[in-house]
């Protein structure tokens, strides 16, 4: 792919010789949060590569270019140049896209890049931030939503857990039993503790520890912040079963090393990408199973499973905890949100009450509950 153009920036307040070096300095601001760093690098890289293909640099980006770039995110073309399966970054067939970005992903990309340009303006690398000229900037760049809808409703989750819990056949191999136990552990872990996928991949056995008769999970999340989360009995039971499969003692020892989620050798930990693909593959397999089992009657649920990503499990966990009556302050602690209004998106009780009251509003002539026609 063409390299992004290099410009001369006499007023720059950073030591950089090219757009790529300037962006690299911006990215160092997020070195304490590896997950954020990866996400921001991906979006910045896509913009730099696109600009290189246009033979222009960051300082030449104008307001009208943003619409063209957003359309490009929705349909990266030519496809062979931009889209491809996961590959190591040094591979010659690595591509920056797995496919077109959804509206939510495009919105998130623009949010990230707006922040990048604000920093570059302060650094004196570019003279203006074209995102500030977007007339409908608040609508397009505000990534907050009034509620969370990317989750599995309880009946669908209950079906999925029953499907995940169906044991292998009696003549199943040791490998098949291992994969079954690991899959249940992954989905149970995700549902019971609401971790981010990077936090699951990084979890060590010693991160689970008892204190005054209760078990806790120590987790380091976004921004390098460490927290402890209560471990419910079901999670402890899953962990014990999984450790038995690994040939370990029933409960973790203080400071015990070794990843919780492991590869087929039972030793090496799973990486973020491996875990992501495993969960996505499981959702697709579950969708196929539900479609075979229920056919057209379950079409909407099958579609939900096919659309689901690993982060849906976190949304599902927090939504179901909220529906079960977990107080907002404790829910925020589990989610590790800095703001309560972020956690409040998982509270659907107001929607339910609104819908109940709205149902009393109907068209003339509708029979009331007694069966009589209204006057």
């Amino acid at each position: 792919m063409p390299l992004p153009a290099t410009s001369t920036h006499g007023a720059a307040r950073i030591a950089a010789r090219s757009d790529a070096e300037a962006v690299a300095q911006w990215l160092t601001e997020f070195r304490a949060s590896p997950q954020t760093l990866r996400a921001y690098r991906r979006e910045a890289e896509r913009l730099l590569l696109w600009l290189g293909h246009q033979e222009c640099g960051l300082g030449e980006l104008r307001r009208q270019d943003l619409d063209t770039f957003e359309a490009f995110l929705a349909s990266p073309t030519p496809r062979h140049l931009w889209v491809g399966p996961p590959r190591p970054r040094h591979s010659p067939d690595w591509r920056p896209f797995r496919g077109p970005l959804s509206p939510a992903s495009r919105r998130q990309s623009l949010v990230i890049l707006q922040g990048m340009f604000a920093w570059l303006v302060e650094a004196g690398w570019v003279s203006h931030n074209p995102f500030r000229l977007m007339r409908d900037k608040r609508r397009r760049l505000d990534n907050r939503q009034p509620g969370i809808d990317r989750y599995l409703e309880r009946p669908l989750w209950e079906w999925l857990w029953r499907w995940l819990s169906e044991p292998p056949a009696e003549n199943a191999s040791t490998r098949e039993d291992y994969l079954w136990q690991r899959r249940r552990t992954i989905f149970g872990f995700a549902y019971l503790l609401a971790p981010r996928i990077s936090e699951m991949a990084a979890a060590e056995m010693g991160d689970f520890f008892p204190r005054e008769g209760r078990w806790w999970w120590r987790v380091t999340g976004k921004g390098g912040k460490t927290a402890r989360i209560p471990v419910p009995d079901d999670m402890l039971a899953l962990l014990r079963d999984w450790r038995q499969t690994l040939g370990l003692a029933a409960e973790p020892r203080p400071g015990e090393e070794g990843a919780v989620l492991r590869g087929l050798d039972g030793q090496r930990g799973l990486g973020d990408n491996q875990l992501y693909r495993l969960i996505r593959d499981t959702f697709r397999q579950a969708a196929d199973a539900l479609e075979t089992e229920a056919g057209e009657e379950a079409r909407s649920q099958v579609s939900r499973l096919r659309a689901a990503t690993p982060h849906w499990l976190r949304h599902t966990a927090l939504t179901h905890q909220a529906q079960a009556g977990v107080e907002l302050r404790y829910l925020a602690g589990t989610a590790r949100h800095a703001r309560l209004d972020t956690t409040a998106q998982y509270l659907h009780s107001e929607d339910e009450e609104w819908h109940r009251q709205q149902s009393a509003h109907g068209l003339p002539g509708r029979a009331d509950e007694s069966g009589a026609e209204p006057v």
Side-chain angles (χ1 to χ4, degrees):
M1 288 184 177
L3 293 175
T6 300
S7 303
T8 301
H9 299 265
R13 302 179 184 90
I14 55 174
R17 294 169 298 179
S18 67
D19 285 349
E21 288 186 9
V23 168
Q25 290 201 33
W26 169 68
L27 289 171
T28 62
E29 300 292 332
F30 307 98
R31 57 186 177 274
S33 181
Q35 186 177 13
T36 300
L37 177 61
R38 284 194 295 271
Y40 284 20
R41 182 182 65 184
R42 179 181 63 237
E43 301 310 327
E45 188 171 51
R46 286 168 172 168
L47 176 62
L48 286 173
L49 290 171
W50 181 77
L51 286 172
H53 200 64
Q54 310 298 315
E55 298 184 351
C56 65
L58 291 171
E60 299 168 80
L61 192 64
R62 298 293 180 260
R63 167 63 185 88
Q64 61 268 24
D65 300 325
L66 298 181
D67 294 332
T68 306
F69 179 67
E70 187 175 6
F72 166 74
L73 295 177
S75 180
T77 53
R79 188 178 178 86
H80 73 276
L81 186 63
W82 298 100
V83 180
R87 291 287 187 272
R89 295 175 59 80
H90 61 268
S91 173
D93 56 351
W94 174 85
R95 297 292 182 270
F97 292 88
R98 306 284 81 80
L101 298 191
S102 67
S105 295
R106 298 198 299 273
R107 190 164 54 241
Q108 181 66 13
S109 178
L110 295 177
V111 168
I112 292 169
L113 295 173
Q114 177 186 226
M116 182 185 79
F117 260 86
W119 188 91
L120 292 172
V121 169
E122 290 298 315
W125 187 257
V126 295
S127 61
H128 80 294
N129 185 345
F131 294 91
R132 294 181 61 85
L133 301 177
M134 297 174 73
R135 184 170 178 269
D136 56 348
K137 180 162 66 72
R138 290 190 62 182
R139 176 183 65 81
R140 296 175 66 169
L141 299 187
D142 190 345
N143 203 37
R144 292 171 297 177
Q145 297 178 356
I148 296 295
D149 60 5
R150 292 178 297 164
Y151 70 97
L152 304 182
E153 294 180 356
R154 191 170 292 276
L156 182 54
W157 164 254
E158 290 174 351
W159 178 90
L160 178 63
W161 185 250
R162 287 195 301 272
W163 179 78
L164 289 166
S165 298
E166 293 175 2
E170 291 184 7
N171 60 348
S173 65
T174 303
R175 182 178 185 273
E176 289 172 324
D177 184 67
Y178 179 92
L179 293 174
W180 174 71
Q181 290 284 7
R182 185 177 69 176
R183 191 161 69 175
R184 288 183 73 245
T185 303
I186 289 170
F187 275 75
F189 187 173
Y191 179 74
L192 294 169
L193 298 180
R196 300 175 178 90
I197 193 166
S198 60
E199 296 164 353
M200 293 178 68
E204 298 272 325
M205 287 294 186
D207 293 335
F208 289 88
F209 64 95
R211 184 70 53 82
E212 297 183 358
R214 300 183 181 91
W215 280 83
W216 299 83
W217 176 46
R218 184 186 304 107
V219 54
T220 301
K222 293 176 68 175
K225 297 178 181 178
T226 300
R228 61 174 189 168
I229 309 297
V231 177
D233 291 342
D234 284 350
M235 181 63 210
L236 193 56
L238 277 174
L239 186 61
R240 286 168 175 159
D241 290 345
W242 175 232
R243 287 176 61 84
Q244 183 179 13
T245 300
L246 294 171
L248 302 173
E251 296 177 354
R253 304 184 309 275
E256 181 179 345
E257 296 182 353
V260 174
L261 304 176
R262 306 186 182 187
L264 291 176
D265 61 1
Q267 301 294 326
R268 177 178 47 83
L270 291 177
D272 295 12
N273 289 337
Q274 289 176 293
L275 189 55
Y276 183 95
R277 291 196 298 271
L278 193 155
I279 294 173
R280 284 283 282 164
D281 287 345
T282 299
F283 275 132
R284 285 191 283 264
Q285 291 166 23
D288 291 342
L290 181 57
E291 188 172 41
T292 300
E293 178 184 308
E296 281 296 308
E297 294 181 6
R299 182 167 58 179
S300 63
Q301 292 93 331
V302 169
S303 296
R304 296 287 286 175
L305 288 174
R306 293 201 195 285
T309 69
H311 206 64
W312 281 44
L313 291 172
R314 176 172 162 86
H315 290 327
T316 300
L318 294 170
T319 297
H320 290 185
Q321 287 182 44
Q323 291 172 340
V326 176
E327 292 183 29
L328 183 60
R329 55 178 174 152
Y330 296 132
L331 195 66
T334 297
R336 287 155 285 121
H337 288 151
R339 295 166 55 98
L340 286 180
D341 59 352
T342 302
T343 312
Q345 295 178 93
Y346 295 93
L347 305 179
H348 297 272
S349 55
E350 289 294 323
D351 287 350
E352 294 167 5
E353 178 60 18
W354 183 10
H355 202 283
R356 186 191 69 79
Q357 294 190 25
Q358 188 79 359
S359 67
H361 177 63
L363 295 171
R366 186 183 63 176
D368 62 19
E369 293 181 359
S370 65
E373 290 290 328
V375 177

